[in-house]
Amino acid sequence: MNLIQNIFDFFLILSFVNLFVICDDIPSPSPRDSLASSLVNNKLYFFGGIGSELTNEVWYLDLSNSFNVSVPPWHKDKELPVAIAFASSCVSPIDNSLVFLIGGNMSHADNTSVPFYPTEVFIFDSKISHWRPPNIIDYNTSFTGRFYFRAIIDNDGKIFMFGGRNPYINISDTYIANGFLNNDMHMLDTTTMKWSTLSISQNVPLPRFAYAAVLLPTAEIIYIGGHEDPQFSLVEIKMVRFFNTKSFTWSNKQTTGASIDSRGSHTAVLTQDGSIIIYGGMTINFTRVSPDLAVLNINTWEWSIPNIPQKDVPPSLARHSAAIYENYMIVSFGRHVSEPQPSTNPFIYILDIRNYTWVNVANINKLESTPIPTNLSSFKFTLIVVVASVASIILIGSVIAGIFIYKKRQERRHSIATPGSK
């Protein structure tokens, strides 16, 4: 019986080891910052970014069901044609499936040390996981190489791109860093694919980059913080700038309320109740700002600092991503700015915006069906897990059944016949 018990224990341990190895091999993105992100229905996409080098990876979080931040529902999608960082992305309001990825530092995916700008716009069809370059009419070549700006799309499908940096100038095929800043406003009409550089002469802000921006219900874009000329100085956070997407005019407003450090490389999101939440950012010397999170009421134009419980609070981040989904702000990736040596971040964090509490679980109300993986590797991985699990169960069941049959036979073979027995 010792031999049988040893065989049983061996197969049991083997099956558990097999399952643990498979579960531990769940794919997830590596640490990165300076990536672009967009929410497409219940998928939160992340494009490119930079960790140890530029990447062309595309990942998304499946937000169709509740999830825990310790086991995020990651899925890998079709890779970008180029490795890219510091780009900006936005989703077409016409069909809510096309993603426009604009600008950024680019390179060949197999050689991230060589700058490469085949086109300033890529279109991603999220329904079929397909990338394509568009045929843009009247493209302004001065925009080539632009990065570190925020592209905002209005309800009519017009994308507005203000400022940003041009990191390289091409002189006889040699790229030289020059750090040139811009304060022009470009517009791409996605319904006609016509490019325009708007001619504006009054109230134009100084050249600016690394700012945060959101589209307001008034069809105005609000620009908050960032760096501006001269010397990349930080913009005073309480002086916000507006751009009217209908009249093509600039205006500004002095906000009130709590004291908020100026910052760049932060994020801003607009909530359903009419508040703008800014998160993270850093100083010109890559140091931490205070507070990490602040709220601007767009009805009173007053800043406030929520009293946030310190449990599960994320580290100070910059060059990260932030998005609103249902009752949550999802903060992803970024660069740690509170450490002696800044490092990139692989994690996501969830803020319940109803009570400004960082939580580990997002309780999603829109329980839609989980989409079929569009990436073949994700499908193969799921199939392997299912097959291995079923095979392990069958193997354990077969071993137990075999042991049971063997023991019954042994009992019959060694049983002693008694008088009257048949």
Side-chain angles (χ1 to χ4, degrees):
M1 289 299 296
N2 289 336
L3 178 61
I4 296 173
Q5 185 65 42
N6 289 339
I7 294 174
F8 175 78
D9 292 342
F10 171 77
F11 280 109
L12 185 63
I13 294 172
L14 181 64
S15 63
F16 277 110
V17 169
N18 182 47
L19 287 175
F20 278 124
V21 169
I22 291 175
C23 292
D24 190 54
D25 195 35
I26 295 175
S28 60
S30 59
R32 63 197 61 195
D33 64 33
S34 309
L35 66 163
S37 68
S38 284
L39 180 65
V40 183
N41 299 314
N42 56 18
K43 294 180 180 179
L44 180 55
Y45 280 92
F46 302 93
F47 306 101
I50 183 168
S52 57
E53 59 185 16
L54 292 177
T55 180
N56 67 336
E57 291 180 345
V58 175
W59 293 84
Y60 71 84
L61 283 172
D62 180 2
L63 305 180
S64 60
N65 292 285
S66 300
F67 68 94
N68 192 298
V69 292
S70 62
V71 190
W74 285 116
H75 298 267
K76 197 172 186 180
D77 215 316
K78 178 67 175 178
E79 293 178 335
L80 274 153
V82 295
I84 193 168
F86 296 103
S88 186
S89 62
C90 50
V91 182
S92 169
I94 309 301
D95 61 8
N96 203 31
S97 63
L98 292 181
V99 180
F100 292 83
L101 186 70
I102 306 173
N105 287 340
M106 303 180 197
S107 68
H108 290 286
D110 57 351
N111 188 352
T112 57
S113 63
V114 179
F116 178 61
Y117 300 99
T119 175
E120 292 305 311
V121 181
F122 288 98
I123 298 177
F124 178 66
D125 189 333
S126 62
K127 291 182 178 179
I128 59 175
S129 297
H130 176 69
W131 288 98
R132 62 180 174 88
N135 182 20
I136 298 177
I137 303 169
D138 295 335
Y139 171 69
N140 187 338
T141 56
S142 69
F143 191 82
T144 302
R146 194 75 58 95
F147 81 115
Y148 229 153
F149 62 92
R150 183 76 173 92
I152 300 293
I153 192 166
D154 71 3
N155 295 328
D156 298 323
K158 294 182 174 64
I159 302 174
F160 294 87
M161 300 150 282
F162 168 68
R165 293 181 62 182
N166 282 90
Y168 301 103
I169 182 171
N170 191 334
I171 303 175
S172 300
D173 295 324
T174 300
Y175 286 86
I176 302 174
N178 63 1
F180 181 71
L181 303 190
N182 303 274
N183 66 342
D184 48 2
M185 178 68 78
H186 296 261
M187 183 183 74
L188 175 63
D189 187 336
T190 62
T191 62
T192 62
M193 296 311 298
K194 187 178 188 307
W195 187 283
S196 303
T197 301
L198 304 181
S199 179
I200 307 171
S201 58
Q202 295 184 344
N203 298 322
V204 180
L206 290 172
R208 184 182 299 194
F209 75 100
Y211 52 77
V214 296
L215 179 69
L216 300 177
T218 56
E220 294 175 298
I221 303 171
I222 181 173
Y223 294 86
I224 304 173
H227 299 273
E228 68 179 7
D229 269 345
Q231 304 301 319
F232 297 170
S233 61
L234 288 170
V235 179
E236 204 275 308
I237 205 79
K238 284 192 173 182
M239 177 60 73
V240 296
R241 302 301 301 263
F242 297 91
F243 181 78
N244 191 304
T245 61
K246 302 300 181 183
S247 63
F248 299 164
T249 54
W250 284 99
S251 61
N252 56 51
K253 189 175 190 65
Q254 182 71 43
T255 59
T256 61
S259 176
I260 312 294
D261 283 354
S262 298
R263 64 195 66 198
S265 303
H266 52 299
T267 52
V269 294
L270 180 66
T271 67
Q272 296 90 336
D273 64 355
S275 296
I276 295 175
I277 303 174
I278 64 167
Y279 180 76
M282 58 186 178
T283 70
I284 195 171
N285 296 317
F286 301 97
T287 57
R288 183 177 179 176
V289 293
S290 180
D292 281 328
L293 188 147
V295 180
L296 177 62
N297 186 315
I298 64 173
N299 296 311
T300 63
W301 298 109
E302 183 177 3
W303 287 97
S304 62
I305 303 172
N307 184 18
I308 301 176
Q310 292 304 296
K311 183 180 179 181
D312 300 320
V313 173
S316 298
L317 297 172
R319 298 179 182 173
H320 54 282
S321 162
I324 291 288
Y325 187 77
E326 292 196 358
N327 297 314
Y328 303 100
M329 180 177 75
I330 302 174
V331 175
S332 312
F333 302 104
R335 169 179 287 202
H336 298 127
V337 295
S338 57
E339 299 178 356
Q341 295 295 327
S343 59
T344 49
N345 173 53
F347 304 113
I348 66 172
Y349 310 91
I350 303 174
L351 179 74
D352 190 328
I353 60 176
R354 293 168 295 185
N355 53 19
Y356 290 99
T357 301
W358 294 100
V359 297
N360 291 321
V361 177
N363 293 308
I364 304 300
N365 296 318
K366 299 176 182 177
L367 300 180
E368 304 174 10
S369 59
T370 303
I372 298 174
T374 55
N375 182 270
L376 184 58
S377 62
S378 298
F379 175 76
K380 287 181 178 178
F381 172 78
T382 304
L383 183 62
I384 290 172
V385 172
V386 173
V387 171
S389 301
V390 173
S392 299
I393 293 172
I394 293 175
L395 178 61
I396 294 172
S398 299
V399 172
I400 294 174
I403 293 173
F404 178 79
I405 295 171
Y406 177 82
K407 289 177 65 177
K408 286 296 183 182
R409 287 180 178 177
Q410 289 296 100
E411 290 175 359
R412 291 174 183 173
R413 182 179 300 176
H414 294 91
S415 62
I416 300 175
T418 58
S421 64
K422 295 182 180 181

